[in-house]
Each structure stands twice: as structure tokens, then as C-alpha cells.
Amino acid sequence: MPQADNSASTLFIDGEWVPAADGRTRQIICPADGQLVTTVSEAGAADTERAIAVARRAYEDGAWSGTSAWDRGDLLLRVADILVRDKAEYARAESLDTGKRLVESEYDMDDIAACFRYFGKLAGQDAGRLVDTGSPDAISRVQHEPVGVCGMITPWNFPLLQVAWKVAPALAAGNTFILKPSELTPSTAILLMKTLAEAGMPAGVGNLVTGTGAEAGQPLAEHPDIDLVSFTGGLHTGRKISALAAPTVKKVALELGGKNPNVVFADSDFDTAVDFALMAIFLHSGQVCSAGARLIVQDEMHDALVDEIVRRAEQIRIGGPFDSEAETGPLISPEHLRKVDDYVQEAVAEGGVLRTGGKRPEGERFANGHYYLPTVIDEVQQGSYAVIEESFGPVLTVERFTDEDDAVRIANDTHYGLAGGVFTSDPAKAQRVANRLRHGTVWINDFHPYLPQAEWGGHKQSGIGRELGRAGLGEYQEAKHVYQNLRPGPQHWFSEK
Ligand code: TXE
């Protein structure tokens, strides 16, 4: 069973565990109680550049890109089996790094194994397609090839899930990669590299650098030997990655969060709407890119719905990852706690009505963790800071609407476009609204289900490209058109004189 490495040789380069070239390390601290989790290597740009050179060589030698897609798929299926075998160890490591409840980390591990299984099965199924040339003397096909060397930069909220959404399709397509997980939550990425090696991944195909974005991450966006950079994180950093990648015109895939509407019509089942509104925003303390942070409720149901959400929010039990009574956990860091609190203060200063929360929970047991109370802010106005900005914390804002057109207009009034929910007992209305929402995923009478076989990604400034589904594999492939003249002979385009 893999163990997180405490010896601070946590860079995985060319199949070897090595320390940072300059010997620097970083302590990983549990956000729930401030305890030391582990110590990892702190890579600098030189380490990442070495990993890029290794991944380039491994790509060019064809030891992975030249294998059959079925064999690559088999490796991913073996990875899924090991993830199931070692689920307890993985889940514990994820909870220690993130502070999230153990049961939620266990769900994440199930989803991660399912992701590897999905891409493992998909890998060998598509050999490209024949194209009609219009001539019996020529054949033509479009085939899919790996993009090449992929740089992957991932965040801290679903650390291994976001890694899996990149690593599984990249390997299925025959790429090599360098992964830089969030400097706050590297433990499960370290375990994954051990699992990939155990499953038979050749040396140099998958490489890991643990370190900060500015030092270890930036070369993955800038370096000419990186063919694709895939990033999940905040909008501000995503813009930066895009700009850094532009001079080398590499492929860029971005998943950048959202300001996601949850539209509740007055004909919805009341208890269902309450239940999902709470789950949509307070799951993992709102640190979810698709969190239902904007409750948009029809006038007639507004007062009763908000009263009940407030009552229930005040009963949510907060605690650490291994507290069996806890229903939600801490925020990731003191900086993030400050950011969430600043957001709340700003929302209230501009006229939002604070109905509950807006501060840290009291009590000794919360003193060493970054906890924040579930917060509800009513009567926020369109165009205001509270509606435009992502808090990425346990903060629900409430807006009202009158009719269907009004609901759609308000729900689309954001520069993000990742996901949204619609609650109504009228199936035709649900479909009409879903079709008009400019968001990459729409849930009807539900919130938060993700399926490995369904594309995930954002409209507008929520990102570029798609993860999961067939398009998620396509991100890591180049299409090549191969045309063959079956009866070659002079064409006499130019005269012979
Ligand atoms: O993320 P960053 P942060 C949102 C959320 C949050 C905000 C900022 O609103 O409050 O982003 O969070 C790496 N070159 N999301 O600061 O900076 C970094 O090391 C290369 C949404 O924690 O985006 C980490 O690995 N890499 C989100 C990754 O980028 C760089 C999840 C994400 O960090 C870099 C998390 C650089 N110059 C936050 N700077 C989602 N979409 O799920 C940083 N990084």
C-alpha cells in the first residue's frame, strides 16, 4: 500500500523519487487543526525544466505513445483497481491535506476510480474515421494522435479528482505529462504516481513536481517543449496561464470556476428545494467550482424558502475530517478564510441583508482550524460585487425573480458559465430554461452530479475546453488527416515544356 513520503523526496522524475535540486521543502498543514501532515519537496523552475526534458524524451522514444490504445486502456483499468484496493489510504491522505470529511474523500476516491475506468474503456474504441474522397482512386482517413507533452496544474479543493480528470485521458491518448498539484494538497498526487508506477507506467511518462505555481508551475505554461497546458484554478491565475502560453502557441485548457445560479420556481417541491439549496452551496464549505452560490428564487416562494434555509443552515454541524458528527469542514487556509470574510463584509456593506453566519464559529475546538459559519445573504442586487465575484466559501446569496424570462436573464447575468440548477415541477419549463442557460452543465431538480461519461467545462470566462466525456479525451488528441492516392501518376498540372 503506498504511503505519503516523509523523507521529502517527493518529486517523481524519470521514474525516480528525488528531492528538489536546491533541497528546499514545505510543510503541509491540516486546515482542520493546524497539525503537520507531512513534509514535501519544494520544486523550483530547474526541477520542472528537468521534468519537461524527461517527458519530452519519453514522448519521442515512443515507449508510451507508440503502444496500442488497448494496452494503454488496460493500464488505466489496473490503476482503477489499485485505487479501489487502497481507497482508505488515499481518502485519509486527502482529508488530512484538505480538512474535508473522510466520507467525502471516500466518495471522491470512488469517482476517481470511475474516471480511470471510463477512460480505460474508451481508450481503444476510436481508431479515427474514414472520409469520403469522392474518388475510387483515393482513400482518406482522420486519425487521432497524442498532443505530445502535457503540463497539468491543479488546485486544492478536489485535489486528486481534478488530477484524475487530466491524467486519465492524457495517458489514454498516449501523451506524457508533468503534473504540478496545488502546493497546499500534494499528498494524493504523490500516492497516484506510486500507483501509476505499480500499474506499469514506463519511466518518464508521468512526472510530478510539488511546489508553488509561480516557481514550479509557470514553466509548464511557458516552456516551448510543452504542447498543451491544462489548468484548473481561479480566473485570475487562468488568465495569467493563458498569457504565458501565448508566445509558444501551445494548446490551453482552462477550468476556472463559476458563479453558479440555482433557479427555484414557486411550483417546486418545497422540501426538495430547501435540501438541494443547502447541499448546492454548503457541500465542502462552498469550495466547489460549481457550488450553487446564487439562489435565484421566484417571488412567491422567496420568504418561506429563505427562512427555512436559514433555519437549517444554523443547524449544520461543523468539524474536522474524522469527526463523525461533522457535516462540513474548514476552509483550506488562513488566506482563504480572510478572502471569504472580506467578501461577506463587502456584500453586506453594499446592502446585502446578512440572515445568518458572516463569522467564524465560536469555541475552543475551532480555534486552530480555518472554519467559517454557513452564511446566507439576502436581497443582493444584480451587478453588485456579491453577485459578480466568486467567494468560494460557504456563502449563499439570494436574488428574486418574477417569471421565466426574468429567471433566465438573471441566471445568465454573469461573466462565468460553469453550471446551474433549475427546480420546478413542470418538466417542459425545466427543459426550456435548461436550454436557455449559458452554463456548461445544467441540473434539473438536482445539484452536483458529475458523470465521467458527460463533458464538464464552462461557457464564457469559466474556461476553455472540456474535461470528461469523449471531448475530455479529445483535449489530449490531435486530429491528423491522411490521404492516399491509390493510382499515382503524373497529373500534368504544369506543362512539361
Ligand atoms: O488558486 P490558483 P487559489 C478559485 C477560487 C479561489 C481562487 C484563488 O475563487 O478563491 O480561485 O484560489 C497554481 N503559474 N478557485 O489562489 O492560484 C497553484 O500553485 C502556474 C477555483 O488557491 O488558481 C495551484 O496549483 N501555476 C478552482 C493552481 O495554480 C500557478 C479551484 C491553482 O491555484 C500560478 C481553486 C502561476 N503563476 C480555486 N499561480 C476551481 N476551478 O475549482 C498559481 N498557480
Side-chain angles (χ1 to χ4, degrees):
M1 186 172 284
Q3 299 286 324
D5 198 333
N6 277 320
S7 63
S9 285
T10 62
L11 313 188
F12 189 65
I13 302 177
D14 212 4
E16 307 267 327
W17 290 99
V18 293
D22 61 9
R24 278 185 303 154
T25 59
R26 164 184 293 263
Q27 294 191 328
I28 304 302
I29 304 297
C30 179
D33 56 14
Q35 295 293 310
L36 176 66
V37 175
T38 187
T39 301
V40 298
S41 313
E42 182 87 323
D47 297 297
T48 303
E49 280 160 17
R50 193 178 145 235
I52 294 171
V54 163
R56 170 55 60 193
R57 191 215 62 221
Y59 180 72
E60 301 299 343
D61 76 15
W64 183 248
S65 58
T67 54
S68 91
W70 287 107
D71 288 345
R72 297 197 297 264
D74 282 348
L75 182 134
L76 297 187
L77 296 176
R78 286 197 294 280
V79 170
D81 289 343
I82 298 171
L83 284 163
V84 170
R85 184 193 75 193
D86 295 346
K87 174 175 162 178
E89 186 71 12
Y90 268 95
R92 187 178 155 76
E94 196 80 304
S95 281
L96 286 170
D97 277 10
T98 59
K100 80 165 69 169
R101 294 187 308 148
L102 186 61
V103 65
E104 291 181 32
S105 295
E106 288 168 352
Y107 293 146
D108 290 351
M109 296 312 139
D110 293 341
D111 289 346
I112 291 159
C115 173
F116 275 94
R117 227 176 272 295
Y118 170 72
F119 284 108
K121 288 181 180 166
L122 191 63
Q125 282 179 16
D126 183 5
R129 68 182 200 277
L130 285 176
V131 178
D132 183 6
T133 60
S135 161
D137 297 333
I139 56 168
S140 191
R141 69 174 192 278
V142 174
Q143 65 193 34
H144 301 302
E145 299 184 351
V147 172
V149 180
C150 302
M152 302 166 178
I153 302 172
T154 53
W156 42 261
N157 52 337
F158 290 85
L160 195 62
L161 190 68
Q162 284 146 327
V163 165
W165 291 8
K166 300 183 194 308
V167 165
L171 288 177
N175 298 276
T176 62
F177 70 86
I178 305 96
L179 165 66
K180 199 220 66 78
S182 168
E183 58 273 35
L184 302 176
T185 56
S187 294
T188 47
I190 295 168
L191 294 180
L192 181 68
M193 302 314 286
K194 296 183 181 190
T195 292
L196 291 170
E198 181 186 341
M201 180 182 72
V205 169
N207 303 275
L208 172 75
V209 287
T210 52
T212 65
E215 291 186 270
Q218 212 150 298
L220 298 178
E222 290 176 308
H223 202 286
D225 264 343
I226 296 283
D227 299 298
L228 175 155
V229 59
S230 177
F231 169 80
T232 302
L235 176 57
H236 177 76
T237 310
R239 286 181 180 139
K240 198 165 173 183
I241 300 277
S242 217
L244 290 169
T248 48
V249 199
K250 53 176 57 79
K251 288 179 84 175
V252 177
L254 303 174
E255 207 275 73
L256 304 178
K259 189 73 191 181
N260 311 290
N262 180 14
V263 177
V264 179
F265 284 91
D267 61 6
S268 308
D269 178 73
F270 184 80
D271 292 340
T272 305
V274 170
D275 203 63
F276 276 99
L278 291 164
M279 193 270 276
I281 181 61
F282 297 129
L283 173 81
H284 194 18
S285 289
Q287 301 170 113
V288 183
C289 51
S290 50
R294 294 175 71 196
L295 179 67
I296 301 173
V297 54
Q298 197 157 21
D299 275 330
E300 298 90 304
M301 199 189 250
H302 171 273
D303 293 358
L305 189 73
V306 176
D307 284 352
E308 183 61 7
I309 287 172
V310 168
R311 191 185 72 77
R312 294 271 306 273
E314 288 172 351
Q315 293 172 6
I316 292 175
R317 292 190 299 271
I318 302 173
F322 309 109
D323 173 351
S324 58
E325 299 283 295
E327 296 175 307
T328 189
L331 298 173
I332 189 70
S333 65
E335 294 75 27
H336 193 52
L337 177 67
R338 246 189 321 277
K339 184 189 149 185
V340 171
D341 190 54
D342 287 350
Y343 168 93
V344 170
Q345 304 315 325
E346 180 74 32
V348 172
E350 67 182 1
V353 178
L354 182 66
R355 292 289 309 270
T356 189
K359 58 182 182 190
R360 304 195 47 175
E362 284 161 15
E364 191 51 33
R365 67 197 190 93
F366 299 118
N368 296 323
H370 318 305
Y371 297 95
Y372 202 79
L373 285 173
T375 298
V376 179
I377 306 176
D378 199 0
E379 308 292 357
V380 298
Q381 301 304 313
Q382 267 191 278
S384 66
Y385 173 86
V387 168
I388 291 169
E389 294 300 326
E390 196 183 30
S391 85
F392 221 63
V395 185
L396 181 67
T397 62
V398 187
E399 298 158 81
R400 302 162 177 261
F401 70 90
T402 52
D403 59 17
E404 197 173 315
D405 285 344
D406 200 30
V408 170
R409 183 181 59 75
I410 295 171
N412 283 338
D413 186 19
T414 164
H415 59 279
Y416 288 109
L418 187 60
V422 184
F423 284 80
T424 172
S425 55
D426 177 344
K429 182 162 69 184
Q431 288 294 329
R432 284 195 305 272
V433 171
N435 288 338
R436 292 172 68 192
L437 289 183
R438 292 199 60 213
H439 296 267
T441 294
V442 178
W443 295 294
I444 298 172
N445 295 329
D446 211 318
F447 218 98
H448 281 319
Y450 312 89
L451 307 175
Q453 60 272 31
E455 274 73 4
W456 175 257
H459 291 208
K460 300 194 264 182
Q461 294 186 35
S462 282
I464 301 173
R466 290 293 179 270
E467 300 197 290
L468 304 180
R470 286 186 172 268
L473 181 61
E475 286 289 338
Y476 293 91
Q477 294 174 320
E478 291 280 16
K480 178 185 281 179
H481 177 204
V482 179
Y483 177 101
Q484 184 173 5
N485 182 348
L486 297 170
R487 290 176 51 134
Q491 209 185 356
H492 305 298
W493 181 274
F494 297 108
S495 83
E496 288 172 24
K497 288 184 202 151

Coordinates of all heavy atoms in Angstrom, one line a residue, residues 330-395:
P330 N -13.5 22.7 7.3 CA -12.9 24.0 7.3 C -12.6 24.5 5.9 O -12.7 23.8 4.9 CB -11.6 23.8 8.0 CG -11.2 22.4 7.7 CD -12.5 21.6 7.6
L331 N -12.2 25.8 5.8 CA -11.7 26.3 4.6 C -10.2 25.9 4.5 O -9.6 25.5 5.5 CB -11.8 27.9 4.6 CG -13.3 28.3 4.6 CD1 -13.4 29.8 4.7 CD2 -14.0 27.9 3.3
I332 N -9.6 26.1 3.3 CA -8.3 25.5 3.1 C -7.2 26.2 3.8 O -6.2 25.6 4.2 CB -8.0 25.4 1.5 CG1 -6.8 24.6 1.2 CG2 -7.9 26.9 0.9 CD1 -6.9 23.2 1.5
S333 N -7.3 27.5 4.0 CA -6.1 28.2 4.5 C -6.5 29.5 5.2 O -7.6 30.0 5.0 CB -5.1 28.6 3.4 OG -5.8 29.5 2.5
P334 N -5.6 30.1 6.1 CA -6.0 31.4 6.7 C -6.2 32.5 5.6 O -7.1 33.3 5.8 CB -4.8 31.7 7.5 CG -3.8 30.6 7.4 CD -4.4 29.6 6.5
E335 N -5.5 32.4 4.6 CA -5.6 33.4 3.5 C -7.0 33.3 2.9 O -7.7 34.3 2.6 CB -4.6 33.3 2.4 CG -3.2 33.5 2.8 CD -2.6 32.4 3.6 OE1 -3.0 31.2 3.5 OE2 -1.6 32.7 4.4
H336 N -7.4 32.1 2.7 CA -8.8 31.9 2.0 C -9.9 32.3 3.0 O -10.9 32.9 2.6 CB -8.9 30.4 1.6 CG -10.1 30.2 0.7 ND1 -10.3 31.0 -0.5 CD2 -11.2 29.4 0.7 CE1 -11.4 30.6 -1.0 NE2 -12.0 29.7 -0.3
L337 N -9.7 32.0 4.3 CA -10.7 32.4 5.3 C -10.9 33.9 5.3 O -12.0 34.4 5.3 CB -10.2 31.9 6.7 CG -11.0 32.3 7.9 CD1 -12.4 31.6 7.8 CD2 -10.3 31.9 9.2
R338 N -9.7 34.6 5.2 CA -9.8 36.1 5.1 C -10.5 36.5 3.9 O -11.3 37.4 3.9 CB -8.4 36.6 5.1 CG -8.1 37.4 6.4 CD -6.8 38.2 6.3 NE -5.7 37.6 5.7 CZ -4.9 36.7 6.3 NH1 -5.1 36.3 7.6 NH2 -3.8 36.1 5.7
K339 N -10.2 35.9 2.8 CA -10.9 36.3 1.5 C -12.4 36.1 1.6 O -13.2 36.9 1.1 CB -10.3 35.4 0.4 CG -10.8 35.8 -1.0 CD -10.4 34.8 -2.1 CE -11.5 34.9 -3.2 NZ -11.4 33.9 -4.2
V340 N -12.8 35.0 2.1 CA -14.3 34.7 2.3 C -14.9 35.7 3.2 O -16.0 36.3 2.9 CB -14.5 33.3 2.8 CG1 -16.0 33.1 3.1 CG2 -14.0 32.2 1.7
D341 N -14.2 36.0 4.3 CA -14.8 37.0 5.2 C -14.9 38.4 4.6 O -15.8 39.1 4.7 CB -14.0 37.0 6.5 CG -14.7 37.8 7.6 OD1 -15.9 37.6 7.9 OD2 -14.1 38.8 8.1
D342 N -13.8 38.8 3.8 CA -13.8 40.1 3.1 C -15.0 40.2 2.2 O -15.6 41.2 2.0 CB -12.5 40.3 2.4 CG -11.3 40.6 3.3 OD1 -11.6 40.8 4.5 OD2 -10.2 40.5 2.8
Y343 N -15.2 39.0 1.5 CA -16.3 39.0 0.5 C -17.7 39.3 1.2 O -18.5 40.1 0.8 CB -16.4 37.6 -0.2 CG -17.6 37.4 -1.0 CD1 -17.7 37.7 -2.3 CD2 -18.8 36.8 -0.3 CE1 -18.9 37.4 -3.0 CE2 -19.9 36.6 -1.0 CZ -20.0 36.9 -2.4 OH -21.1 36.7 -3.1
V344 N -17.8 38.6 2.4 CA -19.1 38.8 3.1 C -19.2 40.2 3.6 O -20.3 40.9 3.5 CB -19.1 37.8 4.3 CG1 -20.3 38.1 5.3 CG2 -19.2 36.4 3.8
Q345 N -18.2 40.8 4.1 CA -18.2 42.2 4.6 C -18.6 43.1 3.5 O -19.4 44.1 3.7 CB -16.9 42.6 5.3 CG -16.4 41.7 6.4 CD -17.5 41.3 7.4 OE1 -18.4 42.1 7.7 NE2 -17.5 40.1 7.9
E346 N -18.0 42.9 2.3 CA -18.3 43.8 1.2 C -19.7 43.6 0.7 O -20.4 44.6 0.4 CB -17.3 43.4 0.1 CG -17.4 44.1 -1.2 CD -16.9 45.6 -1.1 OE1 -15.9 45.8 -0.4 OE2 -17.4 46.5 -1.8
A347 N -20.2 42.4 0.7 CA -21.6 42.1 0.3 C -22.6 42.8 1.2 O -23.6 43.4 0.8 CB -21.9 40.6 0.3
V348 N -22.3 42.8 2.5 CA -23.2 43.5 3.5 C -23.0 45.0 3.3 O -24.0 45.7 3.4 CB -22.8 43.0 4.9 CG1 -23.6 43.8 5.9 CG2 -23.2 41.5 5.0
A349 N -21.8 45.5 3.2 CA -21.6 46.9 3.0 C -22.4 47.5 1.9 O -22.8 48.7 1.9 CB -20.1 47.2 2.9
E350 N -22.5 46.7 0.8 CA -23.2 47.3 -0.4 C -24.7 47.0 -0.3 O -25.5 47.2 -1.3 CB -22.6 46.8 -1.7 CG -22.8 45.3 -1.9 CD -22.2 44.7 -3.1 OE1 -21.6 45.5 -3.9 OE2 -22.4 43.5 -3.3
G351 N -25.3 46.5 0.8 CA -26.7 46.5 1.0 C -27.3 45.1 1.2 O -28.5 44.9 1.4
G352 N -26.5 44.0 1.1 CA -27.0 42.7 1.3 C -27.4 42.5 2.7 O -26.8 43.1 3.6
V353 N -28.5 41.7 2.9 CA -29.0 41.5 4.3 C -28.5 40.2 4.8 O -28.8 39.1 4.3 CB -30.6 41.5 4.2 CG1 -31.1 41.2 5.6 CG2 -31.1 42.8 3.7
L354 N -27.6 40.3 5.8 CA -27.0 39.1 6.4 C -28.0 38.4 7.3 O -28.4 38.9 8.3 CB -25.8 39.5 7.3 CG -25.0 38.4 7.9 CD1 -24.3 37.5 6.9 CD2 -24.0 38.9 8.9
R355 N -28.5 37.2 6.9 CA -29.5 36.5 7.6 C -28.9 35.5 8.6 O -29.5 35.3 9.7 CB -30.4 35.7 6.6 CG -31.3 36.6 5.7 CD -32.4 37.3 6.5 NE -33.1 36.3 7.3 CZ -34.2 35.7 6.9 NH1 -34.7 35.9 5.7 NH2 -34.8 34.8 7.7
T356 N -27.7 35.0 8.3 CA -27.1 34.1 9.3 C -25.6 34.0 8.9 O -25.2 34.2 7.8 CB -27.7 32.7 9.4 OG1 -27.2 32.0 10.5 CG2 -27.5 31.9 8.1
G357 N -24.8 33.6 9.9 CA -23.3 33.4 9.6 C -22.6 34.7 9.6 O -22.8 35.6 10.4
G358 N -21.6 34.8 8.6 CA -20.8 36.0 8.5 C -19.7 36.1 9.5 O -19.1 37.2 9.7
K359 N -19.4 35.0 10.1 CA -18.3 35.0 11.1 C -17.8 33.6 11.3 O -18.4 32.6 10.9 CB -18.7 35.6 12.4 CG -19.9 34.9 13.0 CD -20.3 35.6 14.3 CE -21.4 34.8 14.9 NZ -22.1 35.4 16.0
R360 N -16.7 33.5 12.1 CA -16.2 32.1 12.4 C -17.0 31.5 13.6 O -17.6 32.3 14.4 CB -14.7 32.3 12.9 CG -13.8 33.0 11.9 CD -12.4 32.8 12.4 NE -12.2 31.3 12.7 CZ -11.1 30.7 13.0 NH1 -10.0 31.4 13.1 NH2 -11.1 29.5 13.3
P361 N -17.1 30.2 13.6 CA -17.8 29.6 14.8 C -17.0 29.8 16.1 O -15.8 29.9 16.0 CB -17.9 28.1 14.4 CG -16.8 27.9 13.4 CD -16.5 29.2 12.7
E362 N -17.8 29.9 17.2 CA -17.1 30.1 18.4 C -16.8 28.8 19.1 O -17.5 27.8 18.8 CB -18.0 30.9 19.4 CG -17.9 32.4 19.0 CD -19.1 33.2 19.5 OE1 -19.8 32.7 20.4 OE2 -19.3 34.3 19.0
G363 N -15.7 28.7 19.9 CA -15.4 27.5 20.7 C -14.0 27.1 20.5 O -13.4 27.3 19.4
E364 N -13.4 26.5 21.5 CA -12.0 26.1 21.5 C -11.7 25.2 20.4 O -10.7 25.2 19.8 CB -11.8 25.5 22.9 CG -10.3 25.2 23.2 CD -9.4 26.5 23.1 OE1 -9.9 27.6 23.3 OE2 -8.3 26.3 22.7
R365 N -12.7 24.2 20.1 CA -12.3 23.2 19.1 C -12.2 23.7 17.7 O -11.7 23.1 16.8 CB -13.3 22.1 19.2 CG -14.7 22.4 18.7 CD -15.7 21.4 19.2 NE -17.0 21.6 18.6 CZ -17.4 20.9 17.5 NH1 -16.6 20.1 16.9 NH2 -18.6 21.2 17.0
F366 N -12.6 25.0 17.5 CA -12.5 25.6 16.2 C -11.2 26.5 16.1 O -10.9 27.0 15.0 CB -13.7 26.4 15.8 CG -15.0 25.6 15.8 CD1 -16.0 25.9 16.6 CD2 -15.1 24.5 14.9 CE1 -17.2 25.1 16.6 CE2 -16.3 23.8 14.8 CZ -17.3 24.0 15.7
A367 N -10.6 26.7 17.2 CA -9.5 27.7 17.3 C -8.4 27.5 16.3 O -7.8 28.5 15.8 CB -9.0 27.8 18.7
N368 N -8.0 26.2 16.1 CA -6.8 26.0 15.3 C -7.1 25.7 13.8 O -6.2 25.4 13.0 CB -5.9 24.9 15.9 CG -5.4 25.3 17.2 OD1 -5.1 26.5 17.4 ND2 -5.4 24.4 18.2
G369 N -8.4 25.7 13.5 CA -8.8 25.4 12.1 C -9.4 26.6 11.4 O -9.7 27.6 12.1
H370 N -9.5 26.6 10.1 CA -10.0 27.7 9.3 C -11.5 27.6 9.1 O -11.9 27.5 7.9 CB -9.2 27.9 8.0 CG -7.7 27.6 8.2 ND1 -7.0 28.3 9.1 CD2 -6.9 26.7 7.6 CE1 -5.7 27.8 9.1 NE2 -5.7 26.9 8.2
Y371 N -12.3 27.6 10.1 CA -13.7 27.4 10.0 C -14.5 28.7 9.8 O -14.1 29.7 10.2 CB -14.2 26.7 11.2 CG -13.7 25.3 11.4 CD1 -12.5 25.1 12.3 CD2 -14.2 24.2 10.8 CE1 -12.0 23.9 12.5 CE2 -13.6 22.9 11.0 CZ -12.5 22.8 11.8 OH -12.0 21.5 12.0
Y372 N -15.6 28.6 9.0 CA -16.5 29.7 8.8 C -17.9 29.2 8.8 O -18.2 28.2 8.2 CB -16.1 30.4 7.5 CG -16.6 31.8 7.4 CD1 -15.8 32.8 8.0 CD2 -17.7 32.2 6.7 CE1 -16.2 34.2 7.9 CE2 -18.1 33.5 6.6 CZ -17.4 34.5 7.2 OH -17.7 35.8 7.2
L373 N -18.8 30.0 9.4 CA -20.2 29.5 9.6 C -20.9 29.6 8.2 O -20.7 30.5 7.4 CB -20.9 30.5 10.5 CG -20.6 30.2 12.0 CD1 -21.3 31.3 12.9 CD2 -21.0 28.8 12.5
P374 N -21.8 28.7 8.0 CA -22.7 28.8 6.8 C -23.4 30.1 6.8 O -24.0 30.5 7.9 CB -23.6 27.6 7.0 CG -22.8 26.6 7.8 CD -22.0 27.4 8.7
T375 N -23.3 30.8 5.7 CA -23.7 32.2 5.7 C -24.8 32.4 4.6 O -24.7 31.9 3.5 CB -22.5 33.1 5.4 OG1 -21.6 32.9 6.5 CG2 -22.9 34.6 5.3
V376 N -25.8 33.2 4.9 CA -26.9 33.5 3.9 C -27.0 35.0 3.9 O -27.2 35.7 4.9 CB -28.2 32.8 4.3 CG1 -29.3 33.2 3.3 CG2 -28.1 31.3 4.4
I377 N -26.9 35.5 2.6 CA -27.1 37.0 2.4 C -28.2 37.2 1.5 O -28.2 36.8 0.3 CB -25.8 37.6 1.9 CG1 -24.6 37.3 2.8 CG2 -26.0 39.2 1.8 CD1 -23.3 37.8 2.3
D378 N -29.3 37.8 1.9 CA -30.5 38.0 1.1 C -30.5 39.4 0.5 O -29.7 40.3 0.8 CB -31.7 37.9 2.1 CG -33.0 37.6 1.3 OD1 -32.9 37.5 0.1 OD2 -34.1 37.5 2.0
E379 N -31.3 39.5 -0.6 CA -31.6 40.8 -1.2 C -30.4 41.4 -1.8 O -30.1 42.6 -1.8 CB -32.2 41.8 -0.2 CG -33.5 41.3 0.5 CD -34.7 41.1 -0.4 OE1 -34.6 41.4 -1.6 OE2 -35.7 40.6 0.2
V380 N -29.5 40.6 -2.4 CA -28.3 41.2 -3.1 C -28.8 41.6 -4.5 O -29.8 41.1 -5.0 CB -27.2 40.2 -3.3 CG1 -26.6 39.8 -1.9 CG2 -27.6 39.0 -4.1
Q381 N -28.2 42.6 -5.0 CA -28.6 43.3 -6.3 C -27.8 42.9 -7.5 O -26.6 42.7 -7.3 CB -28.6 44.8 -6.1 CG -29.4 45.4 -5.0 CD -30.8 45.0 -5.1 OE1 -31.5 45.1 -6.1 NE2 -31.4 44.5 -4.0
Q382 N -28.5 42.7 -8.6 CA -27.8 42.4 -9.8 C -26.7 43.5 -10.1 O -26.9 44.6 -9.9 CB -28.7 42.4 -11.0 CG -29.3 41.0 -11.3 CD -30.0 41.0 -12.6 OE1 -31.2 41.4 -12.6 NE2 -29.4 40.6 -13.6
G383 N -25.6 43.0 -10.6 CA -24.5 43.9 -10.9 C -23.6 44.3 -9.7 O -22.6 44.9 -9.8
S384 N -24.0 43.8 -8.5 CA -23.3 44.1 -7.3 C -22.1 43.2 -7.2 O -22.0 42.1 -7.8 CB -24.1 44.0 -6.1 OG -24.5 42.7 -5.9
Y385 N -21.1 43.6 -6.3 CA -19.9 42.8 -6.0 C -20.3 41.4 -5.6 O -19.7 40.4 -6.1 CB -19.1 43.5 -4.9 CG -18.0 42.7 -4.4 CD1 -16.7 42.8 -5.1 CD2 -18.1 41.9 -3.3 CE1 -15.6 42.1 -4.6 CE2 -17.0 41.2 -2.8 CZ -15.8 41.3 -3.5 OH -14.7 40.6 -3.0
A386 N -21.3 41.3 -4.8 CA -21.7 40.0 -4.2 C -22.2 39.0 -5.3 O -22.0 37.8 -5.2 CB -22.8 40.1 -3.2
V387 N -22.8 39.6 -6.3 CA -23.3 38.7 -7.4 C -22.2 38.4 -8.5 O -22.2 37.4 -9.0 CB -24.5 39.4 -8.1 CG1 -24.9 38.8 -9.4 CG2 -25.7 39.5 -7.1
I388 N -21.3 39.4 -8.6 CA -20.3 39.2 -9.7 C -19.1 38.3 -9.2 O -18.7 37.4 -9.9 CB -19.7 40.6 -10.1 CG1 -20.8 41.4 -10.8 CG2 -18.5 40.4 -11.0 CD1 -20.5 42.8 -11.0
E389 N -18.7 38.5 -8.0 CA -17.4 37.8 -7.5 C -17.7 36.4 -6.9 O -18.8 36.2 -6.3 CB -16.7 38.7 -6.5 CG -16.1 39.9 -7.1 CD -15.1 39.7 -8.2 OE1 -14.4 38.7 -8.1 OE2 -15.1 40.5 -9.1
E390 N -16.8 35.5 -7.1 CA -16.9 34.2 -6.5 C -16.3 34.3 -5.1 O -15.2 34.8 -4.9 CB -16.0 33.3 -7.4 CG -16.2 31.8 -7.2 CD -15.2 31.0 -8.0 OE1 -14.1 31.4 -8.3 OE2 -15.5 29.9 -8.4
S391 N -17.1 33.8 -4.1 CA -16.5 33.8 -2.7 C -15.7 32.5 -2.5 O -14.8 32.5 -1.7 CB -17.6 33.9 -1.6 OG -18.1 32.7 -1.3
F392 N -16.1 31.4 -3.1 CA -15.5 30.1 -2.9 C -15.5 29.7 -1.5 O -14.6 29.0 -1.0 CB -14.1 30.1 -3.5 CG -13.8 28.8 -4.2 CD1 -14.5 28.5 -5.4 CD2 -12.8 28.0 -3.8 CE1 -14.2 27.3 -6.1 CE2 -12.5 26.8 -4.5 CZ -13.2 26.5 -5.6
G393 N -16.6 30.1 -0.8 CA -16.7 29.7 0.6 C -18.2 29.4 0.9 O -19.0 29.4 -0.1
P394 N -18.6 29.2 2.2 CA -20.0 28.8 2.5 C -20.9 30.0 2.5 O -21.5 30.3 3.6 CB -19.8 28.1 3.9 CG -18.6 28.8 4.5 CD -17.7 29.2 3.4
V395 N -21.1 30.6 1.4 CA -21.8 31.9 1.4 C -22.9 31.8 0.3 O -22.5 31.8 -0.9 CB -20.9 33.1 1.2 CG1 -21.7 34.4 1.3 CG2 -19.7 33.1 2.1

